[in-house]
Amino acid sequence: MDLSIIVPTFNEGPNVVELLRRIEDALTDRVFEVIFVDDSTDDTPDIIADAARTSPFPVRLIHRADPVAGLGGAVVAGFQAATSRWCLVMDGDLQHPPEDIPRLIDRAEQGDVDVVVASRYASGGTSKGLADATRTAVSRASTALTKAMFPRKLANCSDPMTGFFLLDTQAVDVEALRPRGFKILLEVLARRQLRVDEIPFDFAQRHAGTSKATFTQGVRFLTQLAMLRFGRMSAFALVGGFGAIANLVIMWGLIRLGMDYVPAAVVASVVTIITNFLLLEYLVFADMRSESGRMLTRFLKSFSFNGLEAVIRIPVLSILVEGAHIPAVLAAALTLVAAFVLRFVFHALVVYAPRRSGRGAPHPDAAPATAGRRTLE
Ligand code: GDD
Ligand code: MN
């Protein structure tokens, strides 16, 4: 297999020589090129050009004077410039160890996958190189949310946010990719059902320089996620909103019929929990029912979650109001939003969890790679 190694760089000068040295050592008897797609504002392009002159293998530099779409856009520019069909994408700061590349290639050469993902979260991998506990928590939470939004396409991928992967560019429509910000792999995987497998790896410390991840990148990522996935979650929100209104209407009706408000609230809640579940079954997750086990099991999981949510939300509310002195209505809104997100994640990942298909094999009823997007996921 010929290989194009794509390295997006933004002010990574001190890492260039070391990266090329380690790539060379790791890939002794391979044919490959390295393409730096560089948006730097410092002397990084000069350092790359110097290194290219003495390199025993082809080192190409694409310096984008007018960068579009940040890191993701740089990777797509790399795909477009690559001479090989198989492209390996990795960071330029040595957080992605070049020594892992042969394992990615070996897996791809088995011939039954479109993309091999180097995962921090597959068993055996680590994410110790993440800067701090906050970064780790953000990474974990956004990974769970992302997987919940694409439970089928990401079923075989534990780390859709990694920037280290080997892709058969013929399995994707490169021109149709719309990268926004940092997460190009997510964009690739969310567009089409690809055959995915992964290898674990240890996410290392940065060799030199500083991270370019920012809060703005985080906001961009959320936008990307919402744009890629508006379908299922908005339907889920509609069902939830409908349930809340139905709950109040039923309670009001029962009280008018002479029932005390406490039993009225209980009856209204039970009725809406059941109708909501049926709406989720037949509307929101209809396409995932056949592969997620028995309906009774799903109902019990969903029912328990709703019960537990009610039991936990009230004390959290009182802590926010009494302890953190947040106005009651704002605090209630915060707990409702948090509960909504948690409920969606729980339903998509636990209640309707697809039974894991054979590693690397496409989902049995998945659209073929050439068929483009499916309607729901
Ligand atoms: N060309 C280009 N343009 N490269 C960029 C840009 C940009 O706007 N922004 C960042 N890069 C390059 C960096 O120079 C580095 O080689 C790589 O992209 C990753 O950026 P870092 O600054 O090292 O960010 P990180 O370590 O927080 O992010 C990495 O880990 C994430 C997982 O937590 C990246 O691998 C992400 O892709 C990955 O999702
Ligand atoms: Mn990094």
Side-chain angles (χ1 to χ4, degrees), residues 42-51 53 61:
D42 64 3
D43 62 348
T44 304
D46 304 327
I47 296 175
I48 295 171
D50 278 348
R53 267 188 284 280
L61 168 64

Side-chain angles (χ1 to χ4, degrees), residues 91 93 95 206:
D91 289 354
D93 58 2
Q95 290 197 279
R206 217 172 213 285

